[in-house]
PDB file of all heavy atoms in Angstrom:
ATOM      1  N   LEU R  36     -17.289   3.731  -2.386  1.00 97.00           N
ATOM      2  CA  LEU R  36     -16.236   4.609  -2.894  1.00 97.00           C
ATOM      3  C   LEU R  36     -16.718   6.110  -2.966  1.00 97.00           C
ATOM      4  O   LEU R  36     -15.959   6.988  -2.630  1.00 97.00           O
ATOM      5  CB  LEU R  36     -15.745   4.124  -4.209  1.00 97.00           C
ATOM      6  CG  LEU R  36     -14.878   2.849  -4.208  1.00 97.00           C
ATOM      7  CD1 LEU R  36     -14.700   2.315  -5.598  1.00 97.00           C
ATOM      8  CD2 LEU R  36     -13.567   3.106  -3.552  1.00 97.00           C
ATOM      9  N   LYS R  39     -16.523   7.673   0.469  1.00 95.00           N
ATOM     10  CA  LYS R  39     -15.114   8.008   0.873  1.00 95.00           C
ATOM     11  C   LYS R  39     -14.559   9.182   0.079  1.00 95.00           C
ATOM     12  O   LYS R  39     -13.900  10.049   0.599  1.00 95.00           O
ATOM     13  CB  LYS R  39     -14.228   6.726   0.622  1.00 95.00           C
ATOM     14  CG  LYS R  39     -14.240   5.774   1.731  1.00 95.00           C
ATOM     15  CD  LYS R  39     -13.612   6.344   3.003  1.00 95.00           C
ATOM     16  CE  LYS R  39     -12.153   6.491   2.873  1.00 95.00           C
ATOM     17  NZ  LYS R  39     -11.494   7.155   3.956  1.00 95.00           N
ATOM     18  N   ILE R  40     -14.892   9.247  -1.224  1.00 94.00           N
ATOM     19  CA  ILE R  40     -14.422  10.366  -2.051  1.00 94.00           C
ATOM     20  C   ILE R  40     -15.073  11.687  -1.518  1.00 94.00           C
ATOM     21  O   ILE R  40     -14.355  12.705  -1.376  1.00 94.00           O
ATOM     22  CB  ILE R  40     -14.760  10.138  -3.552  1.00 94.00           C
ATOM     23  CG1 ILE R  40     -13.900   8.987  -4.094  1.00 94.00           C
ATOM     24  CG2 ILE R  40     -14.603  11.392  -4.370  1.00 94.00           C
ATOM     25  CD1 ILE R  40     -14.388   8.452  -5.428  1.00 94.00           C
ATOM     26  N   ASN R  41     -16.355  11.661  -1.291  1.00 94.00           N
ATOM     27  CA  ASN R  41     -16.990  12.819  -0.722  1.00 94.00           C
ATOM     28  C   ASN R  41     -16.464  13.258   0.602  1.00 94.00           C
ATOM     29  O   ASN R  41     -16.304  14.435   0.935  1.00 94.00           O
ATOM     30  CB  ASN R  41     -18.509  12.679  -0.692  1.00 94.00           C
ATOM     31  CG  ASN R  41     -19.151  12.671  -2.080  1.00 94.00           C
ATOM     32  OD1 ASN R  41     -18.586  13.319  -2.999  1.00 94.00           O
ATOM     33  ND2 ASN R  41     -20.272  12.074  -2.222  1.00 94.00           N
ATOM     34  N   HIS R  43     -13.380  12.897   1.685  1.00 89.00           N
ATOM     35  CA  HIS R  43     -12.103  13.635   1.460  1.00 89.00           C
ATOM     36  C   HIS R  43     -12.327  14.972   0.793  1.00 89.00           C
ATOM     37  O   HIS R  43     -11.593  15.939   1.135  1.00 89.00           O
ATOM     38  CB  HIS R  43     -11.153  12.754   0.646  1.00 89.00           C
ATOM     39  CG  HIS R  43     -10.608  11.588   1.419  1.00 89.00           C
ATOM     40  ND1 HIS R  43      -9.693  11.740   2.435  1.00 89.00           N
ATOM     41  CD2 HIS R  43     -10.884  10.284   1.337  1.00 89.00           C
ATOM     42  CE1 HIS R  43      -9.426  10.590   2.922  1.00 89.00           C
ATOM     43  NE2 HIS R  43     -10.146   9.673   2.343  1.00 89.00           N
ATOM     44  N   LYS R  44     -13.287  15.114  -0.083  1.00 88.00           N
ATOM     45  CA  LYS R  44     -13.559  16.393  -0.722  1.00 88.00           C
ATOM     46  C   LYS R  44     -14.070  17.433   0.359  1.00 88.00           C
ATOM     47  O   LYS R  44     -13.673  18.574   0.330  1.00 88.00           O
ATOM     48  CB  LYS R  44     -14.580  16.233  -1.795  1.00 88.00           C
ATOM     49  CG  LYS R  44     -14.000  15.627  -3.063  1.00 88.00           C
ATOM     50  CD  LYS R  44     -15.104  15.487  -4.166  1.00 88.00           C
ATOM     51  CE  LYS R  44     -14.493  14.937  -5.450  1.00 88.00           C
ATOM     52  NZ  LYS R  44     -15.547  14.827  -6.483  1.00 88.00           N
ATOM     53  N   ARG R  47     -11.215  18.521   2.490  1.00 81.00           N
ATOM     54  CA  ARG R  47     -10.361  19.483   1.753  1.00 81.00           C
ATOM     55  C   ARG R  47     -11.074  20.837   1.788  1.00 81.00           C
ATOM     56  O   ARG R  47     -10.397  21.858   2.023  1.00 81.00           O
ATOM     57  CB  ARG R  47     -10.193  18.992   0.347  1.00 81.00           C
ATOM     58  CG  ARG R  47      -9.429  19.944  -0.528  1.00 81.00           C
ATOM     59  CD  ARG R  47      -9.191  19.427  -1.930  1.00 81.00           C
ATOM     60  NE  ARG R  47     -10.425  19.131  -2.615  1.00 81.00           N
ATOM     61  CZ  ARG R  47     -10.563  18.516  -3.806  1.00 81.00           C
ATOM     62  NH1 ARG R  47      -9.464  18.088  -4.377  1.00 81.00           N
ATOM     63  NH2 ARG R  47     -11.734  18.369  -4.343  1.00 81.00           N
ATOM     64  N   TYR R  61      -3.883  21.466  -1.906  1.00 67.00           N
ATOM     65  CA  TYR R  61      -4.233  20.379  -1.033  1.00 67.00           C
ATOM     66  C   TYR R  61      -3.868  19.099  -1.688  1.00 67.00           C
ATOM     67  O   TYR R  61      -4.006  18.915  -2.901  1.00 67.00           O
ATOM     68  CB  TYR R  61      -5.750  20.409  -0.732  1.00 67.00           C
ATOM     69  CG  TYR R  61      -6.237  19.288   0.144  1.00 67.00           C
ATOM     70  CD1 TYR R  61      -6.112  19.379   1.513  1.00 67.00           C
ATOM     71  CD2 TYR R  61      -6.808  18.160  -0.431  1.00 67.00           C
ATOM     72  CE1 TYR R  61      -6.561  18.332   2.321  1.00 67.00           C
ATOM     73  CE2 TYR R  61      -7.264  17.115   0.400  1.00 67.00           C
ATOM     74  CZ  TYR R  61      -7.111  17.197   1.760  1.00 67.00           C
ATOM     75  OH  TYR R  61      -7.554  16.192   2.583  1.00 67.00           O
ATOM     76  N   ASP R  62      -3.315  18.171  -0.954  1.00 68.00           N
ATOM     77  CA  ASP R  62      -2.957  16.900  -1.489  1.00 68.00           C
ATOM     78  C   ASP R  62      -4.210  16.117  -1.874  1.00 68.00           C
ATOM     79  O   ASP R  62      -4.933  15.686  -0.968  1.00 68.00           O
ATOM     80  CB  ASP R  62      -2.126  16.131  -0.483  1.00 68.00           C
ATOM     81  CG  ASP R  62      -1.732  14.766  -1.017  1.00 68.00           C
ATOM     82  OD1 ASP R  62      -1.803  14.523  -2.246  1.00 68.00           O
ATOM     83  OD2 ASP R  62      -1.231  13.944  -0.211  1.00 68.00           O
ATOM     84  N   SER R  63      -4.469  16.017  -3.119  1.00 82.00           N
ATOM     85  CA  SER R  63      -5.676  15.256  -3.556  1.00 82.00           C
ATOM     86  C   SER R  63      -5.309  13.825  -3.929  1.00 82.00           C
ATOM     87  O   SER R  63      -6.070  13.135  -4.594  1.00 82.00           O
ATOM     88  CB  SER R  63      -6.274  15.966  -4.802  1.00 82.00           C
ATOM     89  OG  SER R  63      -6.768  17.215  -4.444  1.00 82.00           O
ATOM     90  N   GLY R  64      -4.165  13.389  -3.418  1.00 87.00           N
ATOM     91  CA  GLY R  64      -3.703  12.036  -3.702  1.00 87.00           C
ATOM     92  C   GLY R  64      -4.684  10.948  -3.373  1.00 87.00           C
ATOM     93  O   GLY R  64      -4.930  10.011  -4.151  1.00 87.00           O
ATOM     94  N   ARG R  65      -5.306  11.016  -2.189  1.00 90.00           N
ATOM     95  CA  ARG R  65      -6.270   9.997  -1.756  1.00 90.00           C
ATOM     96  C   ARG R  65      -7.540  10.009  -2.641  1.00 90.00           C
ATOM     97  O   ARG R  65      -8.042   8.943  -3.024  1.00 90.00           O
ATOM     98  CB  ARG R  65      -6.617  10.141  -0.286  1.00 90.00           C
ATOM     99  CG  ARG R  65      -7.495   9.040   0.242  1.00 90.00           C
ATOM    100  CD  ARG R  65      -6.770   7.689   0.202  1.00 90.00           C
ATOM    101  NE  ARG R  65      -7.671   6.641   0.733  1.00 90.00           N
ATOM    102  CZ  ARG R  65      -7.767   5.419   0.240  1.00 90.00           C
ATOM    103  NH1 ARG R  65      -7.026   5.076  -0.760  1.00 90.00           N
ATOM    104  NH2 ARG R  65      -8.592   4.586   0.777  1.00 90.00           N
ATOM    105  N   ILE R  66      -7.952  11.214  -3.005  1.00 92.00           N
ATOM    106  CA  ILE R  66      -9.116  11.312  -3.874  1.00 92.00           C
ATOM    107  C   ILE R  66      -8.813  10.724  -5.189  1.00 92.00           C
ATOM    108  O   ILE R  66      -9.627   9.901  -5.770  1.00 92.00           O
ATOM    109  CB  ILE R  66      -9.557  12.798  -4.018  1.00 92.00           C
ATOM    110  CG1 ILE R  66     -10.047  13.319  -2.672  1.00 92.00           C
ATOM    111  CG2 ILE R  66     -10.617  12.934  -5.070  1.00 92.00           C
ATOM    112  CD1 ILE R  66     -10.308  14.852  -2.613  1.00 92.00           C
ATOM    113  N   ASP R  67      -7.679  11.041  -5.747  1.00 93.00           N
ATOM    114  CA  ASP R  67      -7.257  10.512  -7.073  1.00 93.00           C
ATOM    115  C   ASP R  67      -7.132   8.995  -7.007  1.00 93.00           C
ATOM    116  O   ASP R  67      -7.548   8.253  -7.944  1.00 93.00           O
ATOM    117  CB  ASP R  67      -5.909  11.136  -7.531  1.00 93.00           C
ATOM    118  CG  ASP R  67      -6.012  12.604  -7.793  1.00 93.00           C
ATOM    119  OD1 ASP R  67      -7.149  13.096  -8.003  1.00 93.00           O
ATOM    120  OD2 ASP R  67      -4.972  13.242  -7.753  1.00 93.00           O
ATOM    121  N   GLU R  68      -6.591   8.469  -5.903  1.00 95.00           N
ATOM    122  CA  GLU R  68      -6.464   7.027  -5.681  1.00 95.00           C
ATOM    123  C   GLU R  68      -7.849   6.362  -5.742  1.00 95.00           C
ATOM    124  O   GLU R  68      -8.065   5.355  -6.370  1.00 95.00           O
ATOM    125  CB  GLU R  68      -5.842   6.827  -4.311  1.00 95.00           C
ATOM    126  CG  GLU R  68      -4.787   5.795  -4.202  1.00 95.00           C
ATOM    127  CD  GLU R  68      -4.194   5.792  -2.822  1.00 95.00           C
ATOM    128  OE1 GLU R  68      -4.794   5.103  -1.907  1.00 95.00           O
ATOM    129  OE2 GLU R  68      -3.195   6.471  -2.585  1.00 95.00           O
ATOM    130  N   LEU R  69      -8.784   6.924  -4.984  1.00 96.00           N
ATOM    131  CA  LEU R  69     -10.124   6.345  -4.897  1.00 96.00           C
ATOM    132  C   LEU R  69     -10.843   6.442  -6.244  1.00 96.00           C
ATOM    133  O   LEU R  69     -11.572   5.510  -6.627  1.00 96.00           O
ATOM    134  CB  LEU R  69     -10.923   7.028  -3.808  1.00 96.00           C
ATOM    135  CG  LEU R  69     -10.472   6.721  -2.396  1.00 96.00           C
ATOM    136  CD1 LEU R  69     -11.125   7.689  -1.384  1.00 96.00           C
ATOM    137  CD2 LEU R  69     -10.709   5.287  -1.978  1.00 96.00           C
ATOM    138  N   LEU R  70     -10.665   7.531  -6.983  1.00 96.00           N
ATOM    139  CA  LEU R  70     -11.280   7.668  -8.311  1.00 96.00           C
ATOM    140  C   LEU R  70     -10.705   6.602  -9.268  1.00 96.00           C
ATOM    141  O   LEU R  70     -11.458   6.019 -10.078  1.00 96.00           O
ATOM    142  CB  LEU R  70     -11.049   9.056  -8.860  1.00 96.00           C
ATOM    143  CG  LEU R  70     -11.868  10.183  -8.164  1.00 96.00           C
ATOM    144  CD1 LEU R  70     -11.349  11.546  -8.664  1.00 96.00           C
ATOM    145  CD2 LEU R  70     -13.358  10.004  -8.504  1.00 96.00           C
ATOM    146  N   ASN R  71      -9.406   6.360  -9.135  1.00 97.00           N
ATOM    147  CA  ASN R  71      -8.759   5.354  -9.972  1.00 97.00           C
ATOM    148  C   ASN R  71      -9.313   3.956  -9.598  1.00 97.00           C
ATOM    149  O   ASN R  71      -9.651   3.145 -10.510  1.00 97.00           O
ATOM    150  CB  ASN R  71      -7.271   5.351  -9.776  1.00 97.00           C
ATOM    151  CG  ASN R  71      -6.551   4.368 -10.686  1.00 97.00           C
ATOM    152  OD1 ASN R  71      -6.780   4.378 -11.881  1.00 97.00           O
ATOM    153  ND2 ASN R  71      -5.700   3.533 -10.128  1.00 97.00           N
ATOM    154  N   GLU R  72      -9.466   3.658  -8.302  1.00 97.00           N
ATOM    155  CA  GLU R  72     -10.047   2.373  -7.885  1.00 97.00           C
ATOM    156  C   GLU R  72     -11.454   2.243  -8.359  1.00 97.00           C
ATOM    157  O   GLU R  72     -11.895   1.161  -8.715  1.00 97.00           O
ATOM    158  CB  GLU R  72      -9.984   2.292  -6.350  1.00 97.00           C
ATOM    159  CG  GLU R  72      -8.604   2.104  -5.800  1.00 97.00           C
ATOM    160  CD  GLU R  72      -7.862   0.864  -6.276  1.00 97.00           C
ATOM    161  OE1 GLU R  72      -8.516  -0.162  -6.546  1.00 97.00           O
ATOM    162  OE2 GLU R  72      -6.604   0.905  -6.365  1.00 97.00           O
ATOM    163  N   GLN R  73     -12.215   3.352  -8.393  1.00 97.00           N
ATOM    164  CA  GLN R  73     -13.601   3.335  -8.873  1.00 97.00           C
ATOM    165  C   GLN R  73     -13.641   2.868 -10.338  1.00 97.00           C
ATOM    166  O   GLN R  73     -14.474   2.091 -10.700  1.00 97.00           O
ATOM    167  CB  GLN R  73     -14.181   4.691  -8.678  1.00 97.00           C
ATOM    168  CG  GLN R  73     -15.694   4.773  -8.767  1.00 97.00           C
ATOM    169  CD  GLN R  73     -16.195   6.123  -8.395  1.00 97.00           C
ATOM    170  OE1 GLN R  73     -15.605   7.157  -8.733  1.00 97.00           O
ATOM    171  NE2 GLN R  73     -17.324   6.215  -7.711  1.00 97.00           N
ATOM    172  N   GLN R  74     -12.716   3.377 -11.162  1.00 97.00           N
ATOM    173  CA  GLN R  74     -12.645   3.040 -12.571  1.00 97.00           C
ATOM    174  C   GLN R  74     -12.215   1.600 -12.745  1.00 97.00           C
ATOM    175  O   GLN R  74     -12.824   0.875 -13.536  1.00 97.00           O
ATOM    176  CB  GLN R  74     -11.688   3.968 -13.331  1.00 97.00           C
ATOM    177  CG  GLN R  74     -11.678   3.702 -14.797  1.00 97.00           C
ATOM    178  CD  GLN R  74     -13.047   3.868 -15.485  1.00 97.00           C
ATOM    179  OE1 GLN R  74     -13.713   4.829 -15.284  1.00 97.00           O
ATOM    180  NE2 GLN R  74     -13.455   2.880 -16.246  1.00 97.00           N
ATOM    181  N   ILE R  75     -11.250   1.103 -11.989  1.00 98.00           N
ATOM    182  CA  ILE R  75     -10.823  -0.288 -12.000  1.00 98.00           C
ATOM    183  C   ILE R  75     -12.006  -1.194 -11.648  1.00 98.00           C
ATOM    184  O   ILE R  75     -12.215  -2.231 -12.308  1.00 98.00           O
ATOM    185  CB  ILE R  75      -9.579  -0.499 -11.096  1.00 98.00           C
ATOM    186  CG1 ILE R  75      -8.362   0.237 -11.644  1.00 98.00           C
ATOM    187  CG2 ILE R  75      -9.326  -1.969 -10.919  1.00 98.00           C
ATOM    188  CD1 ILE R  75      -7.165   0.325 -10.681  1.00 98.00           C
TER     189      ILE R  75
END
Side-chain angles (χ1 to χ4, degrees):
L36 287 168
K39 278 294 290 174
I40 291 165
N41 286 336
H43 288 288
K44 285 180 178 180
R47 177 178 60 189
Y61 178 82
D62 180 15
S63 294
R65 185 64 179 141
I66 295 170
D67 294 340
E68 224 176 84
L69 291 168
L70 289 169
N71 184 53
E72 291 298 330
Q73 197 173 36
Q74 184 58 51
I75 291 168

